């Protein structure tokens, strides 16, 4: 049996074992010609038990993880939000991980927090702040799930303000800003602009 | 020229340093965990520090086209503080991380009984986790400390070829040369070693198992002294291949024993990837680099 098969079975039998197996999983996966992040996601999906227990273990894996491990956890959240025969969907039980990721300045984590799980579970104020932070830090808005359906008047106002601030400073406006606001509408909001 | 700095405390350095280092050819750095200048008072602050050199710092380095790895361990100075010693129970989970390429830096500060125990314990952890060990030699009573260090290494069961003994100088290098351990030299502006003294040591002892670092930290130090040493080697008659051996191939071989020194993205066809001067920050390459595939 390969290391990764063995690891998946261990976690399915005893969820707690994910704590020891998860950090080394990606490099073992690579030696087997597998994608490290995929194998890490498989380990999380294999954790059995009620939502509280799964959420406790996934949170510990995230908190103890380096940034690449954290990224793997964030990207696995949509998978955890589907039921398997051995556990129910986690629902919003792991939304605190997204809040943590959005507080970091690691653009990979910020982008991942705005994926499918974030689109489904982040409350509007946090989600909007996340989108503006993505624009600020150069995360492509392609990574933001449900951008058009979740955008609202408040987000458009926030992004228009960002555009105005950048223009007032003579700095470039990120191209992705125009995916949220209408270019003509943003023109009108530039303060002190001679017309 | 391509350079590995096998011992540098980047959390103490600015982004200007990263830019200058990249321009000088530095593509890989190894950051040993160590004392912060201010004593820690709890295990929690240790964990935050380890998390930082395995989390934020590699991300920061990546913005400047430099691959960042770490060594994890309880340093000898704080091994003497009972408030910090408990971090030993946290070490095993850190020693499984992908970016941890050695246990360290270990060794002696004041050569106390506590330091003995913590040093031997962590060498055993190195064996257990399949990692080499980075061992520094003490600032005070250096020659006796180096001898005692080699005794402990001998008793540890860790092969000498998996141990790098660092901060050596003219007085201590001879002790280590015969031991089979790797020999590390920290090139400082006015203490430890300087580039010209280093060239003389290389002439006398050869290039095998020799590595050079800047050990730059929050004290008076210079992250470009690796490059200055390379230049001094060339002026002193060493070839470019000799320089590449000491500044690149040797440290890659030593830390490569961890089987975790993943240099993908750092080199293209053996040559350093062209300078990006931080331009990756707003580009896709940061995100690309994060994927395992």
């Amino acid at each position: 049996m390969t290391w990764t098969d063995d690891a998946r079975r261990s976690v399915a039998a005893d969820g707690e074992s994910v704590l020891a197996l998860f950090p080394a999983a990606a490099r073992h996966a690579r030696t087997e010609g597998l994608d490290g992040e995929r194998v890490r996601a498989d380990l999380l999906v294999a954790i059995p038990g009620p939502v509280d227990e799964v959420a406790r273990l996934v949170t510990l894996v995230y908190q103890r993880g380096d940034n690449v491990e954290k990224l793997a956890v964030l990207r696995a959240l949509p998978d955890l939000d589907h039921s398997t025969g051995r556990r129910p969907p986690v629902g919003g039980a792991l939304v605190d991980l997204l809040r943590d990721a959005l507080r970091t300045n690691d653009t990979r984590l910020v982008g991942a927090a705005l994926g499918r799980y974030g689109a489904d579970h982040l409350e509007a104020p946090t989600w909007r702040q996340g989108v503006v932070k993505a624009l600020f830090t150069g995360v492509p808005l392609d990574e933001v799930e449900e951008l058009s359906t979740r955008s609202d008047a408040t987000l458009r106002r926030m992004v228009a303000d960002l555009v105005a601030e950048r223009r007032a400073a003579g700095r470039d406006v990120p191209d992705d800003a125009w995916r949220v606001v209408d270019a003509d509408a943003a023109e009108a909001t530039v303060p002190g602009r001679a017309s | 020229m391509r350079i590995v700095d096998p011992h540098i405390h980047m959390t103490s350095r600015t982004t200007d340093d990263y830019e200058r280092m990249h321009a000088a050819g530095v593509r890989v750095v190894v950051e040993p965990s160590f004392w912060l200048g201010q004593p820690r008072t709890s295990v929690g602050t240790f964990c935050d520090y380890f998390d930082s050199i395995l989390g934020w710092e590699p991300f920061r380095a990546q913005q400047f086209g430099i691959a960042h790895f770490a060594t994890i361990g309880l340093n000898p100075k704080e091994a003497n503080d009972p408030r910090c010693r408990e971090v030993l129970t946290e070490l095993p989970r850190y020693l499984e991380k992908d970016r941890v390429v050695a246990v360290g830096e270990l060794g002696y500060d004041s050569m106390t009984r506590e330091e003995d125990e913590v040093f031997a314990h962590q060498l055993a952890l190195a064996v257990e986790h399949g990692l080499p060990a980075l061992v520094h030699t003490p600032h005070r009573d250096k020659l006796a400390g180096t001898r005692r260090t080699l005794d402990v290494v001998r008793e540890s069961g860790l092969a000498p070829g998996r141990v790098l003994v660092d901060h050596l100088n003219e007085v201590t290098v001879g002790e280590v040369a015969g031991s089979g351990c790797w020999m590390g030299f920290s090139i400082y502006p006015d203490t430890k070693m300087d580039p010209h003294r280093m060239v003389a040591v290389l002439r006398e002892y050869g290039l095998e198992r020799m590595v050079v670092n800047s050990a730059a930290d929050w004290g008076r130090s210079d992250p470009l002294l690796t490059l200055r040493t390379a230049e001094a080697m060339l002026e002193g008659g060493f070839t470019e291949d000799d320089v590449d051996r000491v500044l690149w191939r040797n440290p890659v071989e030593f830390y490569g024993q961890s089987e975790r020194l993943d240099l993908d993205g750092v080199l293209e066809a053996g040559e350093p990837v062209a300078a990006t001067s931080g331009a990756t920050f707003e580009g896709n390459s940061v995100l690309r680099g994060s994927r395992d595939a």
Side-chain angles (χ1 to χ4, degrees), chain B residues 123 182-183:
Chain B
L123 289 175
W182 290 70
M183 291 158 275

Side-chain angles (χ1 to χ4, degrees), chain A residues 44-59:
Chain A
L44 297 180
V45 169
I47 300 172
V51 168
D52 285 358
E53 177 62 4
V54 173
R56 181 185 73 83
L57 287 170
V58 174
T59 299

Side-chain angles (χ1 to χ4, degrees), chain A residues 27 30 37 64 69 108, chain B residues 96-98 287 290 292:
Chain A
R27 62 178 181 273
R30 277 192 291 271
E37 195 171 287
R64 293 182 180 182
E69 290 172 66
R108 300 166 301 181
Chain B
E96 283 300 308
K97 301 290 186 194
D98 282 342
L287 297 159
S290 71
D292 280 319

Side-chain angles (χ1 to χ4, degrees), chain B residues 195-208:
Chain B
H196 294 285
R197 286 164 52 207
M198 187 65 226
V199 170
V201 166
L202 291 171
R203 227 176 252 133
E204 185 171 351
Y205 289 91
L207 308 183
E208 193 182 344

